[in-house]
Amino acid sequence: MEARKLIKLTNETKEMNCSEVYAQFKMLIFKTIGEYKNTNLTSDELKSIGNMSLVKAFNKYKPEFGSSFSTLLVPVIRNDIKRERSEEHTSELQS
């Protein structure tokens, strides 16, 4: 059974598991990774990073701080993509 936690949405707070959070925020994930479609990362790589970032944000999220989940999710996705791009660039330079 998946862990459930309180997730603050725009107008309400709901108890959700990670799958439910993905269903709620998948369009935001696609929109955010779409900002990076003209980079050295493939569409599949961006989708994978977006999905892993959602799990990371779900595990880190604390509704008691008062922010909605999307406030954490978007920066986590962007930072993970930037980190991946940086690592790929570094490995290309070392080759």
Side-chain angles (χ1 to χ4, degrees):
M1 187 166 152
E2 284 188 83
R4 299 180 71 78
K5 63 187 330 180
L6 290 175
I7 301 294
K8 185 174 181 188
L9 307 173
T10 305
N11 297 318
E12 64 180 325
T13 301
K14 293 172 67 175
E15 189 173 306
M16 303 172 84
N17 63 34
C18 198
S19 296
E20 293 166 331
V21 171
Y22 174 78
Q24 180 75 36
F25 289 98
K26 68 182 172 186
M27 295 311 295
L28 180 60
I29 295 169
F30 293 147
K31 179 182 177 199
T32 306
I33 66 174
E35 297 170 8
Y36 299 89
K37 65 183 176 189
N38 295 322
T39 64
N40 60 328
L41 298 172
T42 68
S43 177
D44 285 342
E45 289 171 323
L46 288 169
K47 288 176 189 174
S48 178
I49 293 167
N51 292 337
M52 289 186 295
S53 298
L54 177 120
V55 173
K56 184 189 293 186
F58 179 81
N59 290 332
K60 285 181 166 182
Y61 182 68
K62 297 193 181 329
E64 57 268 19
F65 291 144
S67 298
S68 66
F69 182 76
S70 60
T71 303
L72 174 63
L73 178 59
V74 172
V76 170
I77 294 170
R78 287 180 177 151
N79 289 336
D80 287 350
I81 290 172
K82 289 175 186 175
R83 185 176 307 110
E84 183 66 26
R85 289 182 67 205
S86 174
E87 288 173 6
E88 282 201 8
H89 180 71
T90 302
S91 67
E92 287 173 5
L93 291 176
Q94 294 175 347
S95 297

